[in-house]
């Protein structure tokens, strides 16, 4: 093992960063963003789409035109699940606690 790996193991767990955020790849962000755009135009894989959208947002790109209805629904569900008060108010179903407006 390299000294860096051994030193990292001694320090314990660290916050994990996406590979695309690695400082050595900074100069490749334009190419990576192009790849993310292509992936979003053809992929329906939820995990891949979320990773690509998150990376583009982290780099300051506007992703609103790239999101489809499924992406928006997944993002809203994730936000609701991240808010414990809203989650418990909806009885843990992932739905909103309020009645629909119709």
């Amino acid at each position: 093992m390299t000294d860096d790996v051994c030193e990292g193991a001694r320090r314990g767990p660290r916050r994990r960063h996406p590979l695309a955020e690695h400082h050595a790849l900074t100069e490749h962000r334009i190419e990576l963003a192009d790849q993310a755009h292509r992936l979003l135009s053809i992929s329906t894989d939820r995990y891949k789409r979320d990773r690509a959208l998150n990376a583009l947002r982290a780099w300051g790109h506007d992703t609103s035109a790239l999101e489809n209805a499924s992406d928006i629904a997944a993002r809203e569900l994730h936000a609701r699940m991240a808010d414990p008060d809203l989650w418990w108010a909806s009885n843990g179903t992932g739905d909103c606690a309020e009645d629909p407006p119709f």
Side-chain angles (χ1 to χ4, degrees), residues 86 89-90 95-101:
L86 184 57
S90 65
D95 295 325
C96 290
E98 297 92 21
D99 290 331

Side-chain angles (χ1 to χ4, degrees), residues 21-99:
E21 294 298 315
H22 193 276
H23 63 85
L25 297 176
T26 303
E27 64 192 53
H28 301 288
R29 282 195 182 153
I30 293 172
E31 183 182 343
L32 291 169
D34 289 342
Q35 290 288 334
H37 280 267
R38 280 194 287 280
L39 179 134
L40 291 168
S41 70
I42 60 171
S43 179
T44 58
D45 183 282
R46 171 86 274 123
Y47 178 77
K48 290 178 183 178
R49 291 188 65 81
D50 283 345
R51 296 291 300 253
L53 288 165
N54 289 341
L56 289 171
R57 282 188 207 108
W59 298 333
H61 292 261
D62 178 17
T63 60
S64 58
L66 300 170
E67 289 181 308
N68 60 28
S70 178
D71 297 327
I72 295 167
R75 181 170 35 87
E76 290 173 353
L77 177 61
H78 181 27
R80 285 194 307 266
M81 290 173 58
D83 182 354
D85 294 331
L86 184 57
W87 177 252
W88 288 113
S90 65
N91 297 319
T93 63
D95 295 325
C96 290
E98 297 92 21
D99 290 331

